[in-house]
């Protein structure tokens, strides 16, 4: 039964989808979606529908086709709410998205539960480079990070973007676990007075070895100042 194959946690980049029975939840960059998944494995190609009940898409449905390729789950969705596509081919102009989801286990527990004493308090973003691309100054000026014990919250303006647990992985190292379900991020930091540099690897990726960001590495390098 394909429903049995679908059960568990799947990841595509920063997006994590969990399927339990006929229920799904998807988390990406602090935004959560949820609802009911419906499949027809007797169709050719096999079809699926995602009926959103929570999150920004609540009340909408996306229809598509799917298949299993080895251990991966591949689907092609009509993101406009229209009929399912006939073939596995993306078409941005028509709102057709092709995604491959990789199965993953639940995030491993933090290597250490202790908070990072040096990072406590509120920090204002000074600059940020993500995947080798510098964020615009108008965006950066809105960034703020609050760390209290092992709990962290990241805001841009009044909007809470991310929250979860920030715990120590040893001197100059930390680990981020996200309440919305994304794969953890491993990071390093350099503190000089009230000036802080942090660098985290991609979701579920390796820890950076230096405070720098490149397109190939996908690191996020940011500079902060204590408020």
């Amino acid at each position: 039964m394909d429903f049995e194959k679908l059960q568990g946690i799947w990841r595509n980049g920063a997006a994590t989808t969990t399927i339990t029975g006929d229920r799904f939840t998807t988390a990406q960059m602090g935004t959560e979606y949820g609802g009911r998944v419906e499949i027809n494995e007797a169709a050719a190609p096999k079809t699926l529908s995602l009926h959103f009940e929570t999150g920004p898409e609540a009340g909408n449905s996306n229809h598509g086709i799917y298949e299993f390729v080895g251990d991966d789950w591949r689907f092609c969705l009509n993101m406009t709410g229209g009929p399912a596509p006939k073939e596995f081919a993306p078409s941005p102009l028509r709102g057709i998205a092709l995604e491959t989801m990789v199965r993953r286990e639940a995030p491993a527990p933090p290597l250490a539960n202790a908070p990072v004493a040096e990072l406590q308090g509120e920090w204002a973003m000074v600059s940020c480079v993500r995947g080798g691309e510098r964020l615009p100054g108008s965006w950066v000026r809105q960034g703020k990070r609050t760390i209290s014990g092992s709990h962290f919250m990241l805001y841009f303006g009044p909007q809470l973007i991310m929250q979860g647990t920030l715990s120590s992985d040893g001197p100059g190292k930390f680990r981020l676990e996200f309440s919305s379900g994304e794969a953890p991020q491993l990071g390093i930091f350099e503190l000089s007075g009230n000036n802080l540099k942090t660098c985290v690897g991609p979701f579920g990726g390796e820890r950076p070895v230096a405070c720098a960001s490149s397109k190939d590495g996908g690191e996020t390098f940011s500079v902060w100042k204590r408020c």
Side-chain angles (χ1 to χ4, degrees):
M1 293 286 291
D2 282 359
F3 249 125
E4 295 177 358
K5 294 182 181 180
L6 285 176
Q7 303 303 300
I9 304 173
W10 301 85
R11 180 163 61 87
N12 177 281
T16 300
T17 296
T18 302
I19 297 182
T20 305
D22 67 347
R23 313 299 298 178
F24 76 91
T25 57
T26 296
Q28 182 173 13
M29 296 298 290
T31 302
E32 297 185 19
Y33 307 80
R36 180 173 59 88
V37 59
E38 178 182 352
I39 67 171
N40 181 359
E41 60 183 285
K46 301 175 180 181
T47 63
L48 84 161
S49 296
L50 301 178
H51 304 289
F52 294 91
E53 299 173 357
T54 61
E57 295 294 326
N60 297 331
S61 295
N62 288 340
H63 308 288
I65 56 178
Y66 76 95
E67 64 180 354
F68 293 101
V69 182
D71 294 328
D72 299 339
W73 170 32
R74 188 169 77 136
F75 56 80
C76 195
L77 282 180
N78 188 332
M79 309 297 286
T80 70
K86 302 297 185 183
E87 58 183 352
F88 292 92
S91 177
L93 292 178
R94 296 193 299 123
I96 306 299
L98 178 64
E99 303 285 353
T100 298
M101 306 295 288
V102 178
R103 186 180 294 279
R104 75 171 179 86
E105 301 299 327
L111 301 181
N113 292 321
V116 183
E118 300 97 317
L119 303 186
Q120 300 298 300
E122 292 189 358
W123 300 86
M125 182 177 284
V126 176
S127 65
C128 182
V129 183
R130 184 169 57 195
E133 295 186 5
R134 185 174 297 275
L135 268 63
S138 58
W139 182 255
V140 166
R141 286 190 290 272
Q142 300 181 65
K144 185 177 74 173
R145 177 187 283 166
T146 301
I147 302 172
S148 178
S150 294
H151 185 246
F152 82 93
M153 294 182 290
L154 175 63
Y155 291 87
F156 279 96
Q159 184 176 3
L160 177 62
I161 302 297
M162 286 183 176
Q163 64 176 322
T165 300
L166 187 153
S167 56
S168 174
D169 266 354
K173 300 178 181 179
F174 63 90
R175 180 186 182 101
L176 299 176
E177 298 276 354
F178 302 96
S179 59
S180 52
E182 288 98 342
Q185 286 183 296
L186 304 180
I188 58 175
F189 70 91
E190 298 176 4
L191 181 63
S192 177
N194 289 323
N195 300 306
L196 172 67
K197 296 179 180 179
T198 66
C199 191
V200 296
F203 294 95
E206 300 293 327
R207 189 189 311 275
V209 296
C211 285
S213 175
S214 67
K215 182 177 180 180
D216 291 339
E219 306 93 345
T220 299
F221 168 47
S222 50
V223 178
W224 306 80
K225 188 174 183 65
R226 192 183 296 276
C227 296

